[in-house]
Amino acid sequence: MKKKTLFTILFATLAVYGCSSDDGGGAAGSGGSGGTGGSAGTGGSAGTGGSAGTGGSAGEGGAGGSAGEGGMGGAAGGGGMGGAGGMAAEREFEEDFESLDPTNAMALSQDGWVAFANIWQPDGTTYIRGYSPGAWDGTQGFSNVAEGQGGVPQGDQQMAVFSDYQNQADQTAGNRVEANTFRERPITAADVGKTLKFSFDAKRGSINDPADAGCTGTTNPPCDSTALAFIKTLDSVSFATIDFVTEPTTDLPVTWGRYSIELVIRADLVDQILQFGFSATASNNEPSGVFYDNVLVER
């Protein structure tokens, strides 16, 4: 009875585990499925590209199986397109005075600059008359080409603007001699709607210098010369002033600076006269000089 029972137990045991040889290992377990890659990163909004998405972690392999491959990183978003640039301003006129002959007193006149003087009573508000010197001699009146007053941006030559000291009748009478040096042209329909920008370098010259003989010897102290840059429009028939935009330059520092003024051209200005330039006013032969350079007009 004991033998039969033992045999039955041994047979049941073999049925569950099977027979094995001494060197045959068990079958490898099935490898785990590869981990799913992370979703691709979303591209950034226009302008800045988005960061690349992070790839998924590698899946763990089952016993004996190969590890699953990690997901691919998402592609970075493309950079947005830049906005379209505005229209470049049209350069109408520019002058650095380097090509002019400083020994020629007529150089500015021959270069197309115009001179005109207005004479006022000593109160500065009562108008007497105006005159044009024509092709003027810049040694003592209106302006000339100066040398050695610039830094690197201004080069070797500049323009000096001052009152008309050749007009001794009005100077010695104490009248205000306003000397203008400018360029002019007619306004056309093509100008309408455009902004005329007049820019320039400038620095203080002899104007109201207390050490200048014109100030120490004046009969009407203290020195009170004035200077300015301007854009002006005039009626082409009556020559009455329509627009007068100014930048005072009387009290500039002795170092160079950049200055500008602007005027929007309106339809009512078509066929009128446009002027841009500089003015210096003095009486009693008081000093009024200011230096200018790198003149630029854009529209």
Side-chain angles (χ1 to χ4, degrees):
M1 186 70 181
K2 289 180 181 178
K3 290 181 179 179
K4 183 176 179 180
T5 300
L6 179 59
F7 179 78
T8 302
I9 292 171
L10 289 171
F11 181 80
T13 300
L14 290 172
V16 173
Y17 290 99
C19 296
S20 61
S21 60
D22 293 336
D23 57 356
S30 299
S33 300
T36 303
S39 300
T42 303
S45 58
T48 306
S51 301
T54 305
S57 302
E60 295 184 1
S66 300
E69 294 183 357
M72 297 289 291
M81 295 182 66
M87 294 290 290
E90 175 188 353
R91 293 194 170 198
E92 176 178 322
F93 175 78
E94 55 186 322
E95 177 64 81
D96 63 7
F97 306 102
E98 296 300 309
S99 64
L100 304 185
D101 181 3
T103 65
N104 178 9
M106 312 289 287
L108 290 170
S109 176
Q110 293 169 357
D111 189 49
W113 292 88
V114 179
F116 192 89
N118 290 306
I119 307 303
W120 307 81
Q121 289 187 3
D123 62 10
T125 61
T126 305
Y127 187 71
I128 300 175
R129 72 185 190 284
Y131 65 88
S132 171
W136 78 98
D137 179 347
T139 55
Q140 291 296 319
F142 295 90
S143 55
N144 62 23
V145 179
E147 294 181 277
Q149 293 293 330
V152 173
Q154 293 78 37
D156 296 326
Q157 298 181 178
Q158 300 75 41
M159 178 167 68
V161 177
F162 38 84
S163 184
D164 183 10
Y165 298 108
Q166 292 186 352
N167 180 356
Q168 283 298 294
D170 285 299
Q171 288 282 352
T172 56
N175 291 332
R176 304 291 288 166
V177 181
E178 174 197 301
N180 300 282
T181 302
F182 56 93
R183 302 184 77 92
E184 66 179 3
R185 67 167 177 85
I187 298 171
T188 70
D191 295 317
V192 175
K194 295 183 178 179
T195 299
L196 189 88
K197 181 179 180 181
F198 174 34
S199 60
F200 51 89
D201 295 350
K203 77 166 187 174
R204 189 184 191 96
S206 64
I207 189 167
N208 299 331
D209 181 354
D212 189 283
C215 281
T216 58
T218 184
T219 59
N220 185 35
C223 281
D224 58 355
S225 299
T226 59
L228 54 83
F230 65 86
I231 299 174
K232 183 184 291 188
T233 61
L234 302 174
D235 185 279
S236 59
V237 177
S238 67
F239 299 105
T241 298
I242 302 172
D243 298 286
F244 191 40
V245 183
T246 65
E247 173 67 25
T249 56
T250 303
D251 298 315
L252 296 181
V254 294
T255 54
W256 287 96
R258 189 73 181 168
Y259 306 89
S260 67
I261 49 179
E262 298 181 353
L263 175 68
V264 177
I265 306 299
R266 308 178 305 275
D268 65 285
L269 294 176
V270 173
D271 296 329
Q272 309 305 338
I273 300 169
L274 171 70
Q275 297 179 344
F276 56 87
F278 309 99
S279 178
T281 302
S283 56
N284 302 298
N285 291 310
E286 296 171 358
S288 59
V290 176
F291 295 108
Y292 301 95
D293 206 344
N294 295 326
V295 175
L296 176 64
V297 175
E298 302 170 285
R299 62 188 177 106

